[in-house]
Amino acid sequence: MEKEQLAQILAELVPGLEINSSKEILEVKAASNTWHELAGKLASDPRLQFNYLHNLYGVDWQTYFTVIAYLDSTILGYSLIVRTEVADHDNPSLDTISDIWITANFQEREIYDLLGISFSNHPDLRRLFLEDGWGFPLRKDYKDDINFIER
Amino acid sequence: MNSVAQYFSDIFKAIRSLWKGLMVTGYYFVHPKQIVTQQYPENRKTLEMFDRFKGEVILVHDTDNTHKCNGCGICQLNCPNGSIEIITDSAVNEDGKSERIIDKHIYHLSMCTFCGLCVKSCPSNALAFSQEFEHAVFDRQKLTKVLNQPGSKIKKEPKVPKPAPAPAPTPVTEEVPNPAN
Amino acid sequence: MQEVELQDILTAREDGDYIINIGPQHPSTHGVLRFVVSLKGETLEYVIPHCGYIHRGIEKMCERLTYPQIIHLTDRMDYLSAHMNNEAVSLAVEKGLGIEVPDRVKYIRTILSELQRLASHQLWWAAFGMDLGGLTCFFYGLRDREKILDIFEESFGSRLLHSYICPGGLMNDIHPNFQKRTKDFITYFRKKLPEYDELLTGNIIFEQRTKNIGILSKEEAVGYGLTGPSGRGSGFACDIRKRFPYSAYDKVNFKEILYNEGDTWARYKVRMDEMWESMRIIEQLIDNIPEGDFTAKMKPIIRLPEGEYHQRVETARGELGVYIISTGEKNPYRMHFRTPNFSNLFVMNRLAAGFKIADLIAISGSLDLVIPDIDR
Amino acid sequence: MPFNIYDFSTTTKAVDEFLKANMSPTWAFITELTIVGLVFLIFYAIVGLYLVYAERKVCAFMQNRVGPNRVGKWGLFQTIADLIKLLMKELITIKKADKLLYNVAPFIVIIASFMAIAAIPFAKGLHAVDFNIGVFYMMAVSSIGVVGILIAGWSSNSKYSLIGAMRSGAQVVSYELSVGLALVSVVIFSGSMQLSTIVESQANGWWIFKGHLPAIVAFFMFLIASTAEINRGPFDLAEAESELTAGFHTEYSGIKFAFFFLSEFMNMFIVASLAATVFLGGWMPLHIGNLEAFNRIMDFIPPIFWYFGKTIFVIYLIMWFKWTFPRLRIDQLLNLEWKYLLPINLVNTLLIAFLVLMGWYFK
C-alpha cells in the first residue's frame, strides 16, 4: 500500500513525526521550528522526491495559525500533506520554504498579504494584492468598516 | 552549397506558408455569405432568446392578476447578494384567519448575478426568469423593481384534497447568512 | 531566484535603466495586470508582475456564504473555465458529504468541462493571434466560440458565467437539443480547426515569433508549479484528468498532450492538440449520457462535517485546487483556491528575461493568463 | 472647353490658355497653382477617407463581419463621421512634451505624403509636375515622413512612443534600400527616371510582363519593402498596438492623430500608385500581343480607370497582407531586409542590367 509505504519512509526519515494516515492523503504535522528542515528532507530524499508543491495556505484559528502544504512527487507519484502550527498570534513568523520550492515564494507572499504570517529569510516579502498598511483580511478579527457590510 | 540550397528552400517554404494563410482570408473575402454578424437593433423583431435565457427575475402573474408568492422569504435568504427584499403584510382571508401576503417583492437587478438560486429554491414556483435582456437605463434607481403588480393577489389553489406532497424543496426554516443586506 | 525588489527598481531607475510599465491598462495584458519591465534597447532585463488590481477577496466572501451560494463566486475567478470552477467546489462539497452523484451528472459535467475547455482554447487562440498582430485570428476564434456559447445559453440560460453545476448535481436538466447541437458543433469545428493551422500554425512569421522563445525546462516547470497546457508544453505531465480522474474522465479514452520543447511554440501546440482531444472526449460521451436524475438527493441546507476537504480539477489553464476547512457550519471556516494562473503568472520573469519586448507579449499570451483568477 | 477623357492634356492646355488670355502671366501661374493645390487637397481628403473605409470593409469581409454599415448606405459616410468626431476632440498636449516639435510632427508627416502626390501621373496629361527625375523625387519625398515619425516619438516624452519611433527609424532606413533597388530595375528597363516616360515605355506591355521573371521578383520586392516602409501590414512595428499600445502616436489625440492616420493611408495610396505606374503600366491599358479586338476593347476603357483599377488592386494586396499575417519582431524585420530582400534585390538588379544589355526582353 502506497500510503503505508510512505508513512514508513517518513517515520524512518524523521523520528517522532506525527503521522495521520486515516485520511485520503497521508498527513504529517511538523513543529514550526522543524518546518524548513522537514521540507528540505522531503524534497531531497531520494525515496520521496517531493518536487511539486501544489498548494500552500494558512488558516487563522483565532489563537494560532496553521500553515498547510500540499506536496506531490511527480517522479514517484506520492502525495502528502504537511502542516504546522504558528503559535504566536500577534507576531506570527515561520521559516520560508521558497528556497526549496520556487512556487512557495509567491504563495508565501500571498499568505503574508492576507494572513500576516511573516516568513523569515524570504527573498522578497512584499504585499501581493493589497497596499502596504492594509489589514490582514483573512484573519477572523479583521474589520473593515467601509467596505464590509455586517448583517 | 548545402547552405545555399537551404537558403532558397527556406524562402520557398516561407512563401508557401504565407500563401496558405492568404488563401484562408481570401476565401472568406470572396464568400460574403459566410458572414456571421447579427445586426442587432434591426433584427430585434425576429430575435428570439432561448426559453431558459436568464434575463431577469420575474414573479409570474396569471391573466387574472394573481401570482403564487406567499412571502415565505426563502428566495431572500438564498440570494447571495441580497438582491431580493420581501416586505410582507397580513390580510384576513375568507376563513376569517389572518394570513401572510406580500406587500412588495423588491428585486435589485443591479445586484443580481443571475445565479438562479432564488428561482430554484422557490417552494411555490412563483419566480421565473424572463427573456428580457435590454436592461440599460439612464437612472440606476430604475433597476430596483417591484415584482408584484399593483393589485395582484395570491393565487387561490382550488381546495382539493392534496395529492402526494409535491417534490418542491422543503422550506428552509433556519436563517441563512447573507453577506450584504 | 531572479526576483528583484522594489527598492532595486528605484535604485535602478537612477542608474539610467529604461523602465516601462506594461499595464495595468494595456491591450495585451488581457485585463488589469502590470508588468514592470526594464529594457536594454529592446531586450528585457527583468519583468516584475504586479497584481491585485481586481482583488475582490473571494476567499473572504466565501466564509460568509453557504456552499450553494459559493458556486456563483467561483464563476468569476477564471471566467473562461466557469464550469470547471463550479465543478471543483461541487466535487469538494460532495466529497465532504460523502455523496455519490448519478452517472448522468458525471457524464454531463465531463461534456460541459470539455466544451468549456474548447471555448476557452478558442478564445485563447484568438487572443494569442491578436497579441502577435494577426487580428483576423481574433474573429475566427470568436466566431467558433459563439457556437459553444449558444449551446450553453440554450441549456443554462447564460453564456459566460453559468453557475450551472451545483453541489449534488446540476441546477436543471440539459435541454433536449443539447446532444444534437453539440454533435453539430463538433462536425462543424472539425472542419474549422484545420483552418486555424493554415492561418497561424504553419505561418513562417508565427513560427519565428514563437519557436525558441521563453524556454522552460521540465524541472523548472515543476518547481514553479506551472500547470495546465503551459506546464505540459515543458513536458510536465500534470493533467489532473489523468492523474486523479474525477467525474467521467476514467471512462473515456484520451491522450495527455506533452511536448518537451518548453517554448512558446510548444505551449501553443499543446493547446491546439488539446482541442482535438476535447472533441474526442465529447464524441465518446455525447451519445452515451445515461438516463436518470440530474441531481442527487440533497438536504436543503448543506453542512459539511468538521474537517478538511480538497479537490483538484483540471481547468483550461491548469490545476485548480479547492480547499475547504469546515467546522460543521453551513458556511466554510476557511476556503482557499489554488488557482492555475497564480502560479503561471510568476514564471514570467524567468521566461521573458533576456528576450525582446515583443516576446514578452508572445510569452504572456502563451501562458493564457486570466487576471481575475490570479487576484481572486 | 474641350474635354477628352482619354487625353487630359487638351483640357489642361485649354485651362492654361484661358487663364493666360485673361490675366497677367504671373497671376495666371498663381491661379493655376491654387487650382492644382485645391484639387489635390480635395482629392487627398476623399482618397484618404475612402481608403480608411475600404480598409475597414476589406478586413471586415475577411473576418466574417459586415464592417461599418450605420452611417449612410453601406456605411459609406462612416469615415466622414469619424473625421468630424476627431475634429471635435480635445487636442491633448503632454505637460513635459517638447511643445514645438510635438505640434510640428503631424504636419511634417502629412506634408511629406502630400508632396509625393504631385509627381504621380494619373492619366495621360493629368500630371501636376512631370519631373525628369520623378522616381527619385518620390523616393526622396516619401522618406521625409519618417522624420516626422521620429520627431513625434521623441517629442511626446513617452517611452512607448520613443520605442515606436526608433523602430520606425531603423525600419525605414533599411527598407528604403530595397524600395530603391526595386525601382532601379524598372529605371534600367525603361532607361528613364521620368514617370511619364516610364508609363509611355509600357504602351506595348507592362514591365511586369515584358521583363520576365526578374521584373516579377522586383515587383514583389517592391511590394514587401514598401509595405514595410509605410509601417503597415505585418511590418507595423512602429505602432504595434499589442506591444506599444499605439507606438509613436500614443500621445496624440484629435485631429493631430487623424493626420498621422490619414498620412498612413495616403502613403499606402502613393506606394500603390507608384507600383502601378512603374510595374503595371500606369494608365496604360492591358494589351495582349496581336489580339486586335481585345486590345481595341481595352483601349476603350479610359486611362484614368486603368490607373485607379491597378492602384486599387495593389492597395488590396497590401491590405490582404495586413489582415492575414502576424507581426514580425524588430530583429526579424531587419533580418528579412539585410539577409533576404537586399541580396536578392542586388542580384536581381544585376540580372536586369544584364538582360537589358543583351536586349533579352520584350521590346
Side-chain angles (χ1 to χ4, degrees), chain A residues 149 151, chain B residues 178-179:
Chain A
I149 302 161
R151 193 184 170 81
Chain B
N178 196 333

Side-chain angles (χ1 to χ4, degrees), chain C residues 82-94:
Chain C
H83 275 310
M84 289 89 125
N85 295 354
N86 295 348
E87 194 178 6
V89 178
S90 303
L91 286 169
V93 173
E94 282 152 17

